[in-house]
Amino acid sequence: MNRFFHFLRDNALALFFLLAFLASLVGQAFAGAADYNERQIAGGGESISFIAYVTSSEYAVDVAENWQSEYLQFLLYILVTVWLVQRGSPESKPPGQEGRESDKEQGVGGFADEHSPWFARSRGLAHVLYANSLGLVMGVIFALSWLGQSVAGMAAYNRERLSQLSDPVDWGSYLLAPEFWNRTLQNWQSEMLAVASMVALSIYLRQRGSPESKPVGASHGATGVEG
């Protein structure tokens, strides 16, 4: 029992957001099904079952377009913070420390200790992949989500076109369609604004006890300092 409670304590942050994600996903499914059926009835169509909705392209494209924008946000933030800094933000490295840092600073190769992952002590392709694994995985998830959005979006777009007696389009044509980029960019702009707000507001505002904030007593100019 103690081991179980220790597991919950040690993984509480990830478990909280995982449960919040699942609750949101289920809530979106029910709300989306109700909204879809309302629009179907208002347009003279027939309502569909909940199972039919959650397996439809309409639900898939709504989910995928949010996933791809979130992972794009993380991918860009992981990569640009290697080289770009913001003085005063806990989300940034201090000015003057831009770049990939030395082996000593990163604790790799001969500077790795007995607690370091094996990949940190190795050389060659395995080390290169591990040293960039976070960005690579985020990039792969973004690419797959973006691909899923485009495929599901094309199916939903063509269903609507067929209902209007218009010819369906192929995948390449859909990628150039305003509908696809409207869906995509409306998510991207919100993510970029959220990141910019977090970087800038964390210079002057505080949240006591949060590692995403500087200590309450830290100066506005303190950079890379977490509470």
Side-chain angles (χ1 to χ4, degrees):
M1 184 63 70
N2 285 338
R3 183 176 297 178
F4 175 71
F5 284 119
H6 285 162
F7 173 82
L8 290 180
R9 182 198 64 187
D10 293 345
N11 299 279
L13 189 59
L15 290 172
F16 171 82
F17 279 103
L18 179 60
L19 290 174
F21 158 71
L22 293 175
S24 301
L25 191 65
V26 172
Q28 178 189 351
F30 280 103
D35 177 62
Y36 179 80
N37 283 332
E38 282 185 3
R39 288 186 282 110
Q40 281 289 97
I41 294 173
E46 296 182 354
S47 62
I48 62 174
S49 68
F50 176 76
I51 297 299
Y53 174 74
V54 297
T55 56
S56 69
S57 57
E58 282 79 7
Y59 180 64
V61 69
D62 287 342
V63 171
E65 73 180 33
N66 284 284
W67 289 9
Q68 60 90 4
S69 64
E70 294 292 343
Y71 281 99
L72 175 64
Q73 173 198 124
F74 284 119
L75 172 63
L76 290 178
Y77 200 67
I78 289 166
L79 295 181
V80 301
T81 51
V82 175
W83 302 101
L84 304 181
V85 297
Q86 176 62 58
R87 183 181 294 277
S89 176
E91 301 293 315
S92 166
K93 294 189 292 187
Q97 295 185 14
E98 298 89 342
R100 294 172 57 82
E101 303 177 354
S102 66
D103 286 357
K104 182 177 181 180
E105 291 171 318
Q106 285 290 306
V108 299
F111 298 99
D113 59 33
E114 66 275 12
H115 301 295
S116 300
W118 177 85
F119 294 106
R121 299 191 295 270
S122 66
R123 291 294 183 184
L125 180 60
H127 171 78
V128 172
L129 290 176
Y130 185 71
N132 298 279
S133 56
L134 183 59
L136 288 171
V137 170
M138 291 293 182
V140 168
I141 297 176
F142 159 69
L144 292 176
S145 300
W146 187 83
L147 178 62
Q149 177 199 339
S150 67
V151 173
M154 179 190 68
Y157 183 66
N158 282 334
R159 185 197 63 79
E160 184 176 350
R161 286 180 63 86
L162 289 171
S163 69
Q164 298 171 352
L165 303 180
S166 298
D167 292 332
V169 300
D170 59 24
W171 183 67
S173 298
Y174 179 68
L175 290 183
L176 300 176
E179 199 269 351
F180 172 72
W181 286 105
N182 179 51
R183 280 183 172 274
T184 298
L185 293 173
Q186 68 181 335
N187 283 279
W188 288 6
Q189 54 88 12
S190 64
E191 302 300 337
M192 299 307 111
L193 177 62
V195 172
S197 299
M198 182 65 180
V199 171
L201 292 176
S202 62
I203 298 173
Y204 303 103
L205 305 181
R206 309 287 189 268
Q207 180 59 56
R208 184 168 183 161
S210 174
E212 300 303 312
S213 166
K214 292 186 289 189
V216 177
S219 71
H220 293 326
T223 308
V225 179
E226 298 178 342

